[in-house]
mmCIF file of all heavy atoms in Angstrom:
data_model
loop_
_atom_site.group_PDB
_atom_site.id
_atom_site.type_symbol
_atom_site.label_atom_id
_atom_site.label_comp_id
_atom_site.label_asym_id
_atom_site.label_seq_id
_atom_site.Cartn_x
_atom_site.Cartn_y
_atom_site.Cartn_z
ATOM 1 N N ASP A 145 -21.411 9.360 -72.675
ATOM 2 C CA ASP A 145 -20.424 9.934 -71.799
ATOM 3 C C ASP A 145 -19.301 8.962 -71.416
ATOM 4 O O ASP A 145 -18.569 9.190 -70.508
ATOM 5 C CB ASP A 145 -21.111 10.469 -70.561
ATOM 6 C CG ASP A 145 -21.843 9.365 -69.774
ATOM 7 O OD1 ASP A 145 -21.714 8.201 -70.121
ATOM 8 O OD2 ASP A 145 -22.522 9.722 -68.783
ATOM 9 N N GLY A 146 -19.224 7.853 -72.157
ATOM 10 C CA GLY A 146 -18.174 6.915 -71.848
ATOM 11 C C GLY A 146 -18.581 5.882 -70.841
ATOM 12 O O GLY A 146 -17.953 4.798 -70.738
ATOM 13 N N GLY A 147 -19.628 6.134 -70.001
ATOM 14 C CA GLY A 147 -20.128 5.144 -69.142
ATOM 15 C C GLY A 147 -19.175 4.750 -68.044
ATOM 16 O O GLY A 147 -18.328 5.512 -67.578
ATOM 17 N N ILE A 148 -19.286 3.524 -67.599
ATOM 18 C CA ILE A 148 -18.494 3.000 -66.487
ATOM 19 C C ILE A 148 -17.125 2.508 -67.080
ATOM 20 O O ILE A 148 -17.069 1.821 -68.051
ATOM 21 C CB ILE A 148 -19.203 1.794 -65.848
ATOM 22 C CG1 ILE A 148 -20.588 2.303 -65.329
ATOM 23 C CG2 ILE A 148 -18.367 1.230 -64.693
ATOM 24 C CD1 ILE A 148 -21.489 1.180 -64.988
ATOM 25 N N LYS A 149 -16.120 2.963 -66.395
ATOM 26 C CA LYS A 149 -14.746 2.636 -66.882
ATOM 27 C C LYS A 149 -14.555 1.135 -67.069
ATOM 28 O O LYS A 149 -14.785 0.376 -66.112
ATOM 29 C CB LYS A 149 -13.726 3.217 -65.939
ATOM 30 C CG LYS A 149 -12.276 3.015 -66.415
ATOM 31 C CD LYS A 149 -11.326 3.650 -65.469
ATOM 32 C CE LYS A 149 -9.887 3.431 -65.935
ATOM 33 N NZ LYS A 149 -8.901 4.056 -64.985
ATOM 34 N N GLY A 150 -14.145 0.725 -68.219
ATOM 35 C CA GLY A 150 -13.868 -0.649 -68.492
ATOM 36 C C GLY A 150 -15.038 -1.532 -68.781
ATOM 37 O O GLY A 150 -14.899 -2.671 -69.135
ATOM 38 N N ALA A 151 -16.273 -1.016 -68.656
ATOM 39 C CA ALA A 151 -17.422 -1.866 -68.849
ATOM 40 C C ALA A 151 -17.569 -2.317 -70.257
ATOM 41 O O ALA A 151 -18.004 -3.454 -70.507
ATOM 42 C CB ALA A 151 -18.659 -1.134 -68.389
ATOM 43 N N ALA A 152 -17.307 -1.447 -71.230
ATOM 44 C CA ALA A 152 -17.499 -1.812 -72.611
ATOM 45 C C ALA A 152 -16.641 -2.995 -73.044
ATOM 46 O O ALA A 152 -16.968 -3.619 -74.047
ATOM 47 C CB ALA A 152 -17.246 -0.584 -73.485
ATOM 48 N N ALA A 153 -15.584 -3.235 -72.376
ATOM 49 C CA ALA A 153 -14.685 -4.294 -72.764
ATOM 50 C C ALA A 153 -15.202 -5.678 -72.370
ATOM 51 O O ALA A 153 -14.664 -6.684 -72.829
ATOM 52 C CB ALA A 153 -13.343 -4.051 -72.209
ATOM 53 N N ARG A 154 -16.152 -5.739 -71.495
ATOM 54 C CA ARG A 154 -16.631 -7.035 -71.019
ATOM 55 C C ARG A 154 -17.587 -7.641 -71.980
ATOM 56 O O ARG A 154 -18.433 -6.931 -72.540
ATOM 57 C CB ARG A 154 -17.289 -6.895 -69.601
ATOM 58 C CG ARG A 154 -16.301 -6.616 -68.464
ATOM 59 C CD ARG A 154 -16.970 -6.870 -67.162
ATOM 60 N NE ARG A 154 -17.890 -5.768 -66.841
ATOM 61 C CZ ARG A 154 -17.564 -4.658 -66.136
ATOM 62 N NH1 ARG A 154 -16.342 -4.519 -65.701
ATOM 63 N NH2 ARG A 154 -18.459 -3.739 -65.881
ATOM 64 N N ALA A 155 -17.541 -8.893 -72.106
ATOM 65 C CA ALA A 155 -18.496 -9.617 -73.009
ATOM 66 C C ALA A 155 -19.770 -9.830 -72.261
ATOM 67 O O ALA A 155 -19.841 -9.957 -71.035
ATOM 68 C CB ALA A 155 -17.902 -10.968 -73.355
ATOM 69 N N ALA A 156 -20.917 -9.852 -73.028
ATOM 70 C CA ALA A 156 -22.213 -10.089 -72.371
ATOM 71 C C ALA A 156 -22.263 -11.471 -71.854
ATOM 72 O O ALA A 156 -21.791 -12.433 -72.448
ATOM 73 C CB ALA A 156 -23.263 -9.928 -73.451
ATOM 74 N N GLN A 157 -22.783 -11.579 -70.644
ATOM 75 C CA GLN A 157 -22.861 -12.899 -69.949
ATOM 76 C C GLN A 157 -24.291 -13.470 -70.137
ATOM 77 O O GLN A 157 -25.260 -12.757 -70.184
ATOM 78 C CB GLN A 157 -22.626 -12.706 -68.439
ATOM 79 C CG GLN A 157 -21.227 -12.095 -68.157
ATOM 80 C CD GLN A 157 -21.111 -11.701 -66.687
ATOM 81 O OE1 GLN A 157 -22.090 -11.758 -65.924
ATOM 82 N NE2 GLN A 157 -19.916 -11.318 -66.316
ATOM 83 N N PRO A 158 -24.353 -14.804 -70.285
ATOM 84 C CA PRO A 158 -25.670 -15.396 -70.373
ATOM 85 C C PRO A 158 -26.392 -15.290 -69.019
ATOM 86 O O PRO A 158 -25.801 -15.149 -68.000
ATOM 87 C CB PRO A 158 -25.311 -16.893 -70.725
ATOM 88 C CG PRO A 158 -23.985 -17.081 -70.154
ATOM 89 C CD PRO A 158 -23.286 -15.785 -70.344
ATOM 90 N N ALA A 159 -27.733 -15.341 -69.100
ATOM 91 C CA ALA A 159 -28.525 -15.297 -67.901
ATOM 92 C C ALA A 159 -28.146 -16.460 -66.989
ATOM 93 O O ALA A 159 -28.007 -17.571 -67.444
ATOM 94 C CB ALA A 159 -29.974 -15.341 -68.198
ATOM 95 N N SER A 160 -27.988 -16.212 -65.723
ATOM 96 C CA SER A 160 -27.709 -17.294 -64.781
ATOM 97 C C SER A 160 -28.521 -16.999 -63.540
ATOM 98 O O SER A 160 -29.088 -15.931 -63.355
ATOM 99 C CB SER A 160 -26.284 -17.311 -64.452
ATOM 100 O OG SER A 160 -25.886 -16.194 -63.670
ATOM 101 N N HIS A 161 -28.613 -17.979 -62.621
ATOM 102 C CA HIS A 161 -29.403 -17.815 -61.448
ATOM 103 C C HIS A 161 -28.784 -16.887 -60.469
ATOM 104 O O HIS A 161 -29.429 -16.445 -59.530
ATOM 105 C CB HIS A 161 -29.658 -19.188 -60.839
ATOM 106 C CG HIS A 161 -30.143 -20.197 -61.815
ATOM 107 N ND1 HIS A 161 -29.659 -21.409 -61.911
ATOM 108 C CD2 HIS A 161 -31.085 -20.090 -62.773
ATOM 109 C CE1 HIS A 161 -30.261 -22.075 -62.933
ATOM 110 N NE2 HIS A 161 -31.142 -21.252 -63.440
ATOM 111 N N ALA A 162 -27.563 -16.496 -60.687
ATOM 112 C CA ALA A 162 -26.905 -15.510 -59.822
ATOM 113 C C ALA A 162 -26.737 -14.155 -60.527
ATOM 114 O O ALA A 162 -26.011 -13.303 -60.119
ATOM 115 C CB ALA A 162 -25.502 -16.052 -59.469
ATOM 116 N N ALA A 163 -27.564 -13.947 -61.593
ATOM 117 C CA ALA A 163 -27.484 -12.707 -62.391
ATOM 118 C C ALA A 163 -27.696 -11.505 -61.400
ATOM 119 O O ALA A 163 -28.608 -11.544 -60.588
ATOM 120 C CB ALA A 163 -28.469 -12.702 -63.486
ATOM 121 N N THR A 164 -26.898 -10.469 -61.574
ATOM 122 C CA THR A 164 -27.050 -9.278 -60.752
ATOM 123 C C THR A 164 -27.737 -8.166 -61.429
ATOM 124 O O THR A 164 -27.973 -7.134 -60.843
ATOM 125 C CB THR A 164 -25.659 -8.825 -60.296
ATOM 126 O OG1 THR A 164 -24.876 -8.435 -61.412
ATOM 127 C CG2 THR A 164 -24.961 -9.896 -59.484
ATOM 128 N N VAL A 165 -28.104 -8.293 -62.692
ATOM 129 C CA VAL A 165 -28.758 -7.230 -63.504
ATOM 130 C C VAL A 165 -29.975 -7.727 -64.147
ATOM 131 O O VAL A 165 -29.984 -8.843 -64.686
ATOM 132 C CB VAL A 165 -27.736 -6.675 -64.558
ATOM 133 C CG1 VAL A 165 -28.466 -5.616 -65.366
ATOM 134 C CG2 VAL A 165 -26.504 -6.113 -63.883
ATOM 135 N N ARG A 166 -31.085 -6.974 -64.057
ATOM 136 C CA ARG A 166 -32.299 -7.320 -64.778
ATOM 137 C C ARG A 166 -32.788 -6.065 -65.507
ATOM 138 O O ARG A 166 -32.668 -4.968 -65.015
ATOM 139 C CB ARG A 166 -33.386 -7.819 -63.860
ATOM 140 C CG ARG A 166 -33.073 -9.050 -63.093
ATOM 141 C CD ARG A 166 -34.303 -9.638 -62.456
ATOM 142 N NE ARG A 166 -35.016 -8.690 -61.586
ATOM 143 C CZ ARG A 166 -34.784 -8.623 -60.254
ATOM 144 N NH1 ARG A 166 -33.855 -9.333 -59.698
ATOM 145 N NH2 ARG A 166 -35.443 -7.768 -59.526
ATOM 146 N N ILE A 167 -33.376 -6.273 -66.626
ATOM 147 C CA ILE A 167 -34.053 -5.209 -67.382
ATOM 148 C C ILE A 167 -35.530 -5.287 -67.116
ATOM 149 O O ILE A 167 -36.158 -6.283 -67.392
ATOM 150 C CB ILE A 167 -33.751 -5.289 -68.902
ATOM 151 C CG1 ILE A 167 -32.284 -5.143 -69.155
ATOM 152 C CG2 ILE A 167 -34.570 -4.271 -69.680
ATOM 153 C CD1 ILE A 167 -31.867 -5.440 -70.574
#
Side-chain angles (χ1 to χ4, degrees):
D145 59 7
I148 302 166
K149 183 177 180 181
R154 288 194 286 267
Q157 301 169 353
S160 71
H161 310 132
T164 61
V165 178
R166 298 195 304 269
I167 296 172

